[in-house]
């Protein structure tokens, strides 16, 4: 997959320049709106972590894909979908409230799970973005530590505002890194992960300390305008198939 080779060149060069080891950075292959054939393309190129932003779409896609893949939720999670999300995903990048933590904790207890999560922070303050405010992070982290023994908080995630200029993202990534350092001190948790950087700005993100980059377009080209066909599973939950 030549797109992946190009991405590897960029990540390798940035790691060399900033004194980081390539193994510190993992690629999440964002396959949203693509079909299982694109997931298979990623897998055969060695990308074993896929990112999806919708629970229903992943529920349709996952059974059609190689069972060795790890599925990461990168989109907003509603409390009414927590049960299905926990059954589908291995890792959660976008947890953004104490209320959502409580729901995840309760369902994890029932299902016997200990999910790994990241707290999503809206560093830019853009209204259109999900994520908690930076000033809410200490409270939410404290809540997780005190009330949610099953939840393993691994670090933080953010999305920079859209821009054609990757440099425009740098202050937001830097801010998330600072928040990580601060929160490690305050909480005593290790909090090693920073999920930041997408197709347009992953080089800058790696320079600023990203441990996960979430890449769709740069690997798979522009996304098909998804037409979703809604089906229901046997519990009446809606599952969305992507159709051409
Ligand atoms: C779609 C999406 C991405 C990938 O975006 P690209 O620009 O195509 O790489 C990354 N993160 C999140 C949260 C997304 O929804």
């Amino acid at each position: 997959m030549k797109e992946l080779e190009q991405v590897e060149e960029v990540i390798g060069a940035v790691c060399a320049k900033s004194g980081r080891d390539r193994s510190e950075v993992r690629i999440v292959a964002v396959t949203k709106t693509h079909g299982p054939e694109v997931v298979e393309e990623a897998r055969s190129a060695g990308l074993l972590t896929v990112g999806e932003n919708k629970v229903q779409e992943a529920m349709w896609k996952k059974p059609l894909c190689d069972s060795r893949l790890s599925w990461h939720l990168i989109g907003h999670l509603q409390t009414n979908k927590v049960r299905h999300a926990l059954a589908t995903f291995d890792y959660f990048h976008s947890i953004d409230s104490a209320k959502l933590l409580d729901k995840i904790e309760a369902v994890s207890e029932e299902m016997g799970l200990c999910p790994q999560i990241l707290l999503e922070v809206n560093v830019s303050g853009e209204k259109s973005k999900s994520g908690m405010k930076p000033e809410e992070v200490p409270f939410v982290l404290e809540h997780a530590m005190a009330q949610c023994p099953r939840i393993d908080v691994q670090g933080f995630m953010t999305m920079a505002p859209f821009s054609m200029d990757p440099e425009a993202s740098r202050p937001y990534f830097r801010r998330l890194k600072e928040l990580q350092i601060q929160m490690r001190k305050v909480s005593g948790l290790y909090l090693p992960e920073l999920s930041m950087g997408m197709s347009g700005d992953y080089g800058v993100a790696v320079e600023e300390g990203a441990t996960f980059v979430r890449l769709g377009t740069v690997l798979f080209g522009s996304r098909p305008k998804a037409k979703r066909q809604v089906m229901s599973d046997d519990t009446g939950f809606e599952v969305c198939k992507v159709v051409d």
Side-chain angles (χ1 to χ4, degrees), residues 30 32 53 74-75 157 159 197-200 214-218 223:
V30 178
K32 65 187 186 196
N53 67 337
I74 61 170
M157 180 272 218
M159 282 173 88
M198 312 186 358
S199 290
R214 308 179 308 268
L215 305 179
T217 314
V218 75
R223 274 181 282 281

Side-chain angles (χ1 to χ4, degrees), residues 28-32 51-53 73-76 93-94 120 157-159 162 195 197-202 213-219 221-223:
V28 179
V30 178
T31 50
K32 65 187 186 196
E52 291 279 334
N53 67 337
L73 181 66
I74 61 170
H76 183 67
H93 288 238
S94 42
E120 181 176 0
M157 180 272 218
T158 201
M159 282 173 88
F162 177 78
S195 171
M198 312 186 358
S199 290
D201 55 17
Y202 67 98
V213 289
R214 308 179 308 268
L215 305 179
T217 314
V218 75
L219 292 173
S222 59
R223 274 181 282 281

Side-chain angles (χ1 to χ4, degrees), residues 9 30 39 50 75 77 87 108 178 185 207 225 238 241:
E9 264 179 48
V30 178
V39 179
V50 290
L77 177 58
S108 295
E178 282 164 7
K185 273 195 209 135
E207 231 178 307
K225 247 269 154 298
E238 285 181 355
K241 176 182 178 188

Side-chain angles (χ1 to χ4, degrees), residues 2 12 111 116 136 141 145 154 162 165 167 181 224 233:
K2 71 171 193 312
M111 295 173 76
Q116 295 187 309
E136 290 175 282
L141 192 56
M145 289 173 74
Q154 289 265 307
F162 177 78
D165 176 13
E167 282 301 325
I181 293 169
D233 72 2

